Amino acid sequence: MEKAMIEKLIDTAIKQLDFSYTPYSGFKVGAALLTKKGEIYTGCNIENASYGLSNCAERSAIFAAYSQGYRKQDIVSLAIVSDGKRIGTPCGACRQVLVELLEKDTPIVLSNGKDTLVTTIAELLPMSFDSEDLS
Ligand code: THU
């Protein structure tokens, strides 16, 4: 992936931090997903007083894209940005969702606005349980 596109996705994800609804943790996460058509779908974390019902940024973004009919083969990359001291990585629940909804080698861009790491869901969730296990 081109450096300029990685930066554009990170910048778009950073803008999402303003929309995060985090009255409980105060920890803001933004996400931006690029489709092969060149469209960008975004998401942010939305919390709830019943904490477990909170939705993470990356799930919001990928569900937004899937809701418009996009599927894993249509996705170029997903960027996830948080405003922590170190680069944030997806929680376990999101890794399980991403292993189903992204291709194993789709670049996942992680950034805290200063440092950036490009990885894949195969790297983040090795030996995953997925649809193949049900066959
Ligand atoms: N969070 C995300 O949005 N994505 C992640 O990958 C890690 C955690 C959110 C959930 C919650 O709103 C806050 O960060 C603190 O856990």
Side-chain angles (χ1 to χ4, degrees):
M1 236 178 105
E2 283 169 37
K3 199 162 176 258
M5 184 45 82
I6 291 177
E7 277 163 15
K8 185 178 176 191
L9 270 188
I10 291 172
D11 286 348
T12 307
I14 287 173
K15 290 200 180 85
Q16 288 297 302
L17 296 175
D18 286 342
F19 304 136
S20 284
Y21 175 73
T22 58
Y24 307 104
S25 75
F27 186 73
K28 296 182 178 299
V29 186
L33 178 155
L34 176 68
T35 70
K36 287 184 181 165
K37 274 192 188 167
E39 288 175 308
I40 294 180
Y41 287 84
T42 56
C44 58
N45 54 332
I46 312 282
E47 297 185 345
N48 191 276
S50 177
Y51 298 168
L53 299 183
S54 301
N55 203 50
C56 291
E58 52 273 58
R59 269 183 285 156
S60 301
I62 201 159
F63 289 164
Y66 265 69
S67 299
Q68 293 304 310
Y70 291 100
R71 293 296 180 259
K72 58 173 76 175
Q73 63 274 11
D74 307 313
I75 297 169
V76 177
S77 180
L78 171 66
I80 307 163
V81 169
S82 51
D83 60 0
K85 266 184 262 155
R86 62 176 205 190
I87 297 173
T89 63
C91 74
C94 284
R95 291 179 200 214
Q96 183 63 32
V97 169
L98 296 179
V99 87
E100 175 132 0
L101 301 185
L102 280 183
E103 304 269 30
K104 300 282 186 285
D105 59 351
T106 297
I108 298 176
V109 178
L110 304 175
S111 179
N112 64 350
K114 295 190 290 285
D115 301 311
T116 297
L117 174 74
V118 183
T119 183
T120 62
I121 194 58
E123 214 166 45
L124 289 167
L125 191 63
M127 294 182 70
S128 61
F129 175 80
D130 59 33
S131 56
E132 309 244 320
D133 292 296
L134 296 176
S135 58

